[in-house]
Amino acid sequence: MRVMALDIGEVRVGVAVSDPGERVASPVCVLPASDVLAHGKAFRRVLEDWEPELLVCGLPRTLSGEEGPQAVRIRAAAARIAAACELPHVFADERLSSAEAKRSLREKGCSERDMRGKVDMIAASLFLQSWLDERARG
């Protein structure tokens, strides 16, 4: 089964997918949040290209593991997106995924400006990989 991760932000949504065997997560793209929330053409194209069977949406948590202040907004957006796609959705802890994505891109020599369009999809692939690993462990 192919799984698609969404790192839902206020401005952008990072997209990542798993391989059909659910072993490896790969970053795909970053789309405007307005396009994803409106089930716009660009997002529909990504769905058609990858044909996911499940959406894994990043849920912001505090360092103590509690849901962060953005969690209510993310839960509502995820439900809206999943309903429009007619796909089931689950949530994954996205704690520190953006910070890890930025660190990884910095190590590759990316400037802050270069990172802007990449961080969200890298973060989505990071929390999707953690979700896949946890699921594989049973």
Side-chain angles (χ1 to χ4, degrees):
M1 168 174 74
R2 189 174 307 273
V3 180
M4 180 175 283
L6 302 176
D7 183 12
I8 305 167
E10 291 183 39
V11 178
R12 292 177 295 275
V13 175
V15 180
V17 296
S18 73
D19 66 304
E22 297 179 44
R23 288 184 288 279
V24 178
S26 301
V28 172
C29 65
V30 176
L31 297 170
S34 58
D35 184 78
V36 176
L37 289 168
H39 201 65
K41 186 176 181 178
F43 183 53
R44 287 194 316 268
R45 175 79 186 252
V46 171
L47 291 168
E48 289 168 10
D49 288 350
W50 293 100
E51 300 179 336
E53 296 177 51
L54 175 69
L55 298 177
V56 175
C57 302
L59 191 64
R61 294 187 179 274
T62 64
L63 291 178
S64 64
E66 296 175 19
E67 289 191 10
Q70 294 293 324
V72 172
R73 183 184 65 77
I74 298 299
R75 283 187 178 279
R80 190 168 139 198
I81 293 164
C85 299
E86 298 181 347
L87 288 171
H89 71 288
V90 296
F91 293 96
D93 185 355
E94 69 169 28
R95 208 175 344 177
L96 303 176
S97 62
S98 292
E100 177 65 20
K102 284 182 181 179
R103 186 189 62 72
S104 173
L105 289 167
R106 259 190 226 103
E107 286 177 1
K108 291 181 169 82
C110 287
S111 69
E112 287 292 323
R113 184 178 192 152
D114 293 337
M115 279 192 246
R116 199 169 298 138
K118 297 176 183 166
V119 169
D120 302 302
M121 69 178 176
I122 302 291
S125 70
L126 291 170
F127 70 72
L128 177 56
Q129 188 64 58
S130 292
W131 185 87
L132 292 169
D133 292 346
E134 190 173 307
R135 186 170 154 129
R137 284 191 293 271

